Amino acid sequence: MKKKLFIIATAIAISPILFSFCGFYVSKADGTLKNKTSQVILVRDGNKTVLTMYNDFKGDTKDFAMVVPVPVVLGKDDIKVVDQSIFQRLNDYSAPRLVEYWDQNPCDQYTVNESSISMAKADIVSQRGNANKRVKDKDLGVKVEAKYLIGEYDILILSAKESGGLKEWLTSNGYKIPEAAEEVLDPYIKSNLKFFVVKVNEKEKNKLNNNFLRPIQINFNSPKFMLPIRLGMANADGDQDLIVYAFSRKGRIECTNYRNVNIATDKNIPLFVQKNFNSFYSNLFTKQWDNEDKSVAFLEYAWDVSPQNFYHCDPCIATAPSQQDLVQSGVWWLGGKDWSDYSDINNDEPDNGSKNVHFTRLHFRYNRKSFAQDLSFQVTPNTETFQARYVITHPATGNFDCTAGKKYLQDLKLRRKKELNELTILTGTNINNWQEAAAQNDEASTTETQYANLLPQIKEEEQKEKNIPAGFIVFGIAILASVSIIKWKGVI
Amino acid sequence: MFVQNIFKDVRYYQILFQSIFLSYGIIFLHWQNEGWLYGTYFITSIVTQLLCEIIFAKNKNYFLDSFKKSIPSVIISSFGLSLLLKTNLLWVAIFAAFVSIISKYIIRINGKHIFNPSALGIVATILLTGKAWVNAGQWGSGIVLLFTVFCLGFIVVTKVQNITISLTFLGVFVGLLFMRQIIYLGWPIDYFVQSISTGSLLLFSFFMITDPKTTPNHTVSKIIWCIAIAFVAFYLATFKFINAAPIFVLVFAQPLVPLLDKLFKTKSYQWHNKIEHKIISNFTINKLSINNSFN
């Protein structure tokens, strides 16, 4: 009955994206800088890691400073600034997507279906500012291992002997450290981590003709494969979102010290959600996060995005990241190609694993209580694809007088009821909340099949249903297991 | 009385507990999609076991009997694989289960198999195929789970009286983690709690390292062996960032068992030794209680 599908989709802006990730902001004034959502690109193969941190600092850049624990002292060549748009492209491409289908009128064989594309984009705003801070060195057990000027950033790499000294050093150099940060400084120092301290160089910043801070990319060799989120919790109250775009040669990247959960996907939802897709997904995420006890890593996308693989998603909601995009993201094993030389373009390289790229998008929502540890990861050989995909279906229109048409209307009614139920289950929102949206954005085939008219019926049915407490299920299974063992024991 | 007879073989306790863990995973942790994987592990293991019994049986007429006797062990190692080893390829799953079972028949010293079947299956599959992995994070870190698994595991080991192994290993491993994370590095306590409240560690301590067939016989050598495993596993996990370090260390330490057995001589373990004794006493008690109830 469904004849043709077409897509389409919405890249999601879960919330305005702010930088917060693994560093803490330090502010000279008693600033109330808060960070809520951050994005990082994480590329890993063997012991090498490339980490790119999105910088969407809002405020006066002279108040901007970031401290990131790193396992080794980074050389100048290990640090660079990259194009900010890469994050937008990766986000658009891997974001949860809404898919549209069109029903065909069963009484009419020759309807032409249309497809359209809609995109809701993240509003990412950055603000300009400038900064200039003097750094004084003191004998506090703090050693400036290296000092670089890279792009618009002044970068220091510090090593410290004890947290008190580091704290004092930072304070005397004009950084204001959140109290909560002290709890984690000591363990980091004792784990032999170095501190990558970033500030904005006003002069260089003014030379650039842009009003944002570019992302910083660092690379290093270490068997440790982790993201230090604990420091980032220092000046953030409440929950913070972190989106990790991870790339590996072998397969999916998984979190090893938190549970990996696939976000609910392939769900049929009512048509009117199209208008509110962002808030729909945001509710869905919050609901699932609550249900899963919060300490989890949500998988939102996983696919083989190797340049030789043309099939990257179904449907694709944005242009796939190009080879250049990937190289810029830090996928170093794709680098080295001379882009003015196309002689190898038709040579099918044998798939020796060396040019494969697997893209995993993980979404964390962390807080101090649920995330006691930094995030640890591993590259797995899991090549299974995944995408967060939600389906809306436009009903057929026209005359439904034929037998098939009547049956279609009945099925439609059932389907739409299911969609409404699904919506309630997914978002945890009371069904009454949909009344208005349902009445406004509907294109029902008949009055009977309008969402608004189906809602009261669902409410009635809802009351009749009773949930079976989950505890009973476990108990039942335990009993079943014992009984089967007993029975089977008798056989042997 | 009925139940006492049923659980005369401790392996049934293990099966019961492992099935509870798997049910927990399927119901609460969404492992439903992996049904095919569990099925493959179980079917391959059972088929391999049957074939091995046919091929390696000393008396061909009784292979079916010995096959039936070995079923609980096969189920236990299948559960071991199901609970720990992940893959999304059918042939890899078949390979893992096949290696687990066949190792019992072809890698033997002094009539005793060397490797714990599921541990070897996991390690061999990860190292040889590169298409499977273990994720310690799959359990979440509910403290309740920690408690439950601990208690359940406790009962199992108490029954087999192999508590020494579990407690020695856990004590040393957890103790080392505590010293490193809390005392040396100074992390808050919940950091440490999260490290130890993973189902994988507890499954390993209570169901894998305790396998009496593949541990040294003598108590002293048992303790030395466990402490060594705990130390090496701690080192690899903490400083080399190796996932599932205990399982790898266990497999590489198992060839040392025959050596330790030579150094510390004692009687080797039989599944039914103590149990038969128990049954007799149970039977006597039951008889008494029946008599009492009639009186």
Side-chain angles (χ1 to χ4, degrees), chain A residues 401-465:
Chain A
D401 282 345
C402 65
T403 331
K406 278 170 193 152
K407 183 160 186 310
Y408 167 77
L409 288 178
Q410 270 180 350
D411 291 346
L412 181 67
K413 213 168 137 183
L414 280 178
R415 187 184 79 199
R416 290 191 144 203
K417 272 190 189 175
K418 268 191 201 160
E419 289 170 357
L420 287 166
N421 275 324
E422 192 76 86
L423 185 64
T424 319
I425 293 166
L426 289 174
T427 57
T429 326
N430 192 308
I431 200 138
N432 295 323
N433 298 357
W434 302 110
Q435 199 81 48
E436 204 179 314
Q440 280 172 7
N441 308 304
D442 200 358
E443 28 176 288
S445 307
T446 60
T447 355
E448 249 203 328
T449 58
Q450 274 171 2
Y451 288 116
N453 291 335
L454 293 169
L455 278 169
Q457 295 179 28
I458 290 184
K459 274 181 232 161
E460 268 173 40
E461 286 163 19
E462 227 177 28
Q463 282 169 352
K464 287 178 198 162
E465 280 174 24

